[in-house]
Amino acid sequence: MATTAQDVRTIALSLPDSSEKPAWGMPTFRVGGKIFAALADDDTSIGVKCPKEERAGLIAAEPEKFFIRAGHDDNYAWLRVRLEAVEDAAELRAILTDSWLQAAPKRLAAAHPELTAGGTGGEPGEG
């Protein structure tokens, strides 16, 4: 069963000190004032933080799942994820957690070692 926008919202808001705030007409999820995930306006994909040097490998490995919007994401450490291609809630949690860890203040991330102890499953930003 494909993951949904509601799954994104539930998991994103379950991460420590996360909040939802609209921006550019779509829901964004933040920690420490920084966006770590954003739902597309059609609820079919999300944007997450991902180091630019890791994007090409992820896209090449799973082009049905990962992509960037040319002309929009080129200069940002950002990757898009098609929700229909995400295997399950556990994979979605791994993707969102990894993005959260990249955006969270270091002290906050350090206070939650359970989020880094094998918890991101090789998804965006890990590797």
Side-chain angles (χ1 to χ4, degrees):
M1 184 150 106
T3 56
T4 66
Q6 186 56 49
D7 295 329
V8 171
R9 180 170 281 110
T10 299
I11 293 169
L13 292 175
S14 76
L15 295 168
D17 292 344
S18 295
S19 62
E20 182 175 344
K21 181 178 179 182
W24 311 288
M26 58 188 138
T28 65
F29 302 92
R30 299 165 188 250
V31 60
K34 295 182 180 177
I35 297 172
F36 70 90
L39 271 165
D41 56 3
D42 63 1
D43 289 350
T44 63
S45 66
I46 57 172
V48 293
K49 294 189 70 62
C50 180
K52 286 197 277 184
E53 62 274 6
E54 296 181 20
R55 295 185 311 186
L58 288 164
I59 293 167
E62 297 185 84
E64 72 288 348
K65 186 179 298 179
F66 301 115
F67 68 104
I68 61 170
R69 269 185 30 208
H72 187 269
D73 299 329
D74 303 333
N75 298 318
Y76 300 99
W78 204 247
L79 181 70
R80 308 287 171 145
V81 183
R82 291 179 183 90
L83 292 177
E84 69 181 18
V86 175
E87 292 178 28
D88 55 24
E91 183 182 25
L92 181 60
R93 178 171 291 283
I95 291 168
L96 289 168
T97 299
D98 189 71
S99 186
W100 181 93
L101 287 165
Q102 292 176 65
K106 291 185 187 321
R107 194 177 335 181
L108 178 61
H112 294 279
E114 74 280 6
L115 297 178
T116 59
T120 60
E123 293 304 330
E126 179 177 310

